[in-house]
Amino acid sequence: MKLKIAVLAGDGIGPEVTAQAIKTLEAIAEVYDHEFEFESAPVGAVAIDETGNPLPEETLDLCEASDAVLFGAIGDPKYDNDPSAKVRPEQGLLRLRKGLGLFTNIRPIKAYETLIDKSPLKREIIEGTDFTIYRELTGGIYFGEKQLSKDGKEASDLCSYSEKEIERIAHLAFKAARNRKKKLTLVDKANVLETSRLWRKVVTAIGKSYKDVSLDFLFVDNAAMQIILNPSQFDVILTENMFGDIISDEGSVIGGSIGLLASASVGDKSALFEPIHGSYPQAKGKDIANPIASILSAAMLLEHFGLHDEADLIDQAVERALEIGMVTQDLDKDSTYGTRKVGEFIADYILTFD
Amino acid sequence: MKLKIAVLAGDGIGPEVTAQAIKTLEAIAEVYDHEFEFESAPVGAVAIDETGNPLPEETLDLCEASDAVLFGAIGDPKYDNDPSAKVRPEQGLLRLRKGLGLFTNIRPIKAYETLIDKSPLKREIIEGTDFTIYRELTGGIYFGEKQLSKDGKEASDLCSYSEKEIERIAHLAFKAARNRKKKLTLVDKANVLETSRLWRKVVTAIGKSYKDVSLDFLFVDNAAMQIILNPSQFDVILTENMFGDIISDEGSVIGGSIGLLASASVGDKSALFEPIHGSYPQAKGKDIANPIASILSAAMLLEHFGLHDEADLIDQAVERALEIGMVTQDLDKDSTYGTRKVGEFIADYILTFD
Ligand SMILES: [Mg+2]
Ligand SMILES: [Mg+2]
């Protein structure tokens, strides 16, 4: 397969970890005979420094002209600590998501055997956990009309959804379930909210075209409990924007390390892949940042294009690195391995695979 | 102190556990020389059977004429399994909350030493946890205007709050913090929602009158993580209706047993106290239901009227019961103690206290 990949490494540790993801993708290209073309562009604080704009026109153009975007991280303390700053690095990502029409956020949550002891949950609770959250990303209350009365004493936010907005993400989620354990759980609050009832109606109707996928429903307050009580019951969770924000962050801590969590944001024409961790500026240039989340975001990229074997091979390489302790200090404080070394191990594992 | 207490024991195990709470309150009255007058009225399925109404007029009248309501549980399978039923037991509680103007829900969450091993969280995470959630109960998106377009393809829910709605619960939460560890955390999503910004503004202003209480802020997605990662950091959490629904249910599972969780719903003139567990119809009349949540709701009632020593003595009696294994089978499957026996132990502990 031929893929043009825009590389937006961004700030802080972004460039270092993204370099390891590229190394991994190059190894995959070599083994499976794909052609991946990488082209870089600035975003975030780096882009503000260069152009005054956290998302320069040329960067958006490159992303639109590419098959996928490999994203690093953004954020720099010099802007965070300046409350008067009108332009902020984080706007780069928000504008990019909007510009590319990325309406679905995908967050896999998995308990790696070697990291279970780092989880706040007990081993017997977390064992076998492997689910993924499909969160609607451009609708709902975060983007609805906001009002503040003239006297400043009343405020409101409107949550609204259309059938179309629900349908497009629902299809993605059902397709994902089909390639997994064939179970989809819609998280909503249909006993109270009109929008949730619409979600339930639309998702139920679409489910009829995915008869091999079982569909169930969970109220969001119950979901917040079940993710802690019995996370291994889930396969694919589908939910609206705000519920997805809350439960995907809740879910992110149960695996024991944020340094391993990747995510994708997908639209009709574009898709962006990134680690969920931030730019971690204190670690910049020190070769100590964990590259695995970025490498796993590259695996999600491959999965997105139907390259399942290739994605699986990356997962396998990561599992192996964890097993033998080829990890950075965030996972093992006695480790002497750095960002580059871990990336090299994973690329080598792939290159020598047969 | 003289208190008139309406007893709405309700359905299922409600009457059995509420009887133990009354026994406990009678012991307290004896020791501290208070005068508690109890009067019962039907609510829920029992009330539907008797009158056709899950909240008969006389029941609401009694509650309004009383200082507090001691509530059991409602819900009966004969109504749950009848989708055509127009009148449902649960409506009894919703109407009662509305009728009495109960705008604040209070949920204490505490890790009892003897139950820590039942928590899904690891001992070192849960140890020392003792916080309480103040959830706004009558506003926000659950009660806002709902719309469904004529073609059924668009839906919306409006979340709105007024300064006044926020002020009244904020005062209650600050006062509670003053009697606890003097820390209040407002959970909101002020980086996105207009209503959250109003909450933050109003709560910050009120905080100036409670200078002995430290105030901080947490976005709801981060709160969902922190409750799992580090629950012992919290003292009083204050939040709006839906966020409170989600995080109080999330919090309810970290202590290891739902059989110990009490709650209060408070208004300007009335207050209602109840266990958070349901009517558990399968256990009805078997003397196996855990009465502790109901007994602790009686402790919350005393606390509400400023009877701190009395409330503490109940807490102490409960801790003692847990320590020596004077518990029902949900907490220790080998236990031979029943609902009544546990209630008697706690009452006796109080009566023999000096
Ligand atoms: Mg979030
Ligand atoms: Mg709830």
Side-chain angles (χ1 to χ4, degrees), chain A residues 119 122 157 189 195 242, chain B residues 117 119 122 157 195 242 245:
Chain A
S119 172
K122 287 179 182 152
D157 297 279
K189 189 75 183 178
T195 45
M242 189 173 70
Chain B
D117 293 335
S119 172
K122 287 181 181 148
D157 297 279
T195 43
M242 189 174 69
D245 185 17

Side-chain angles (χ1 to χ4, degrees), chain A residues 30 48 101 118 135 162 238 255 259 272 331:
Chain A
E30 172 101 19
I48 299 177
K118 291 188 181 297
R135 165 189 172 192
S162 70
L238 168 62
L272 179 151
L331 296 185

Side-chain angles (χ1 to χ4, degrees), chain B residues 102-348:
Chain B
L102 307 177
F103 57 79
T104 297
N105 188 252
I106 307 170
R107 282 250 209 131
I109 290 169
K110 188 170 167 178
Y112 286 94
E113 181 56 33
T114 45
L115 293 179
I116 285 186
D117 293 335
K118 290 188 182 296
S119 172
L121 300 182
K122 287 181 181 148
R123 168 171 285 271
E124 62 271 27
I125 299 281
I126 192 78
E127 240 165 15
T129 295
D130 182 1
F131 64 95
T132 188
I133 299 174
Y134 276 63
R135 166 190 172 191
E136 204 288 328
L137 203 54
T138 57
I141 197 166
Y142 288 179
F143 292 93
E145 195 191 351
K146 292 162 199 341
Q147 292 199 305
L148 181 67
S149 65
K150 274 200 186 133
D151 62 5
K153 295 189 174 185
E154 303 210 18
S156 70
D157 297 279
L158 187 70
C159 177
S160 66
Y161 269 108
S162 70
E163 192 179 72
K164 221 174 134 181
E165 286 173 302
I166 300 166
E167 279 170 354
R168 58 187 188 180
I169 183 174
H171 281 293
L172 293 179
F174 274 110
K175 279 175 193 152
R178 204 166 242 183
N179 282 321
R180 295 176 47 100
K181 291 173 273 174
K182 304 192 188 330
K183 184 179 165 192
L184 183 77
T185 303
L186 175 66
V187 168
D188 64 23
K189 189 73 184 179
N191 53 341
V192 184
L193 300 180
E194 198 65 46
T195 43
S196 284
R197 287 188 279 267
L198 182 63
W199 272 82
R200 210 172 262 218
K201 192 185 87 177
V202 173
V203 171
T204 302
I206 290 175
K208 300 214 160 66
S209 325
Y210 298 86
K211 290 210 188 299
D212 50 334
V213 177
S214 80
L215 170 65
D216 62 6
F217 307 97
L218 206 56
F219 294 140
V220 61
D221 46 340
N222 192 10
M225 296 199 272
Q226 295 302 323
I227 284 174
I228 307 172
L229 286 175
N230 183 15
S232 66
Q233 72 184 285
F234 296 114
D235 181 19
V236 174
I237 289 179
L238 167 63
T239 192
E240 62 98 63
N241 199 347
M242 189 174 69
F243 295 158
D245 185 17
I246 298 171
I247 65 166
S248 66
D249 281 344
E250 181 186 355
S252 73
V253 299
I254 65 175
S257 171
I258 213 170
L260 262 70
L261 295 177
S263 74
S265 298
V266 172
D268 281 330
K269 291 180 200 147
S270 296
L272 179 151
F273 303 87
E274 59 177 323
I276 75 160
H277 62 66
S279 61
Y280 194 16
Q282 310 93 301
K284 180 180 176 177
K286 293 188 181 156
D287 195 42
I288 57 170
N290 188 344
I292 293 184
S294 184
I295 289 171
L296 288 174
S297 77
M300 291 186 79
L301 185 156
L302 298 173
E303 187 71 44
H304 178 74
F305 290 103
L307 305 176
H308 306 301
D309 290 349
E310 289 83 336
D312 283 351
L313 182 53
I314 295 183
D315 285 342
Q316 201 180 307
V318 166
E319 297 245 19
R320 185 80 188 125
L322 294 173
E323 263 167 42
I324 65 161
M326 172 57 71
V327 294
T328 42
Q329 282 179 15
D330 53 309
L331 297 184
D332 173 7
K333 64 177 175 13
D334 299 324
S335 170
T336 57
Y337 302 122
T339 310
R340 266 193 311 272
K341 181 69 195 159
V342 172
E344 265 161 33
F345 172 86
I346 288 170
D348 286 347

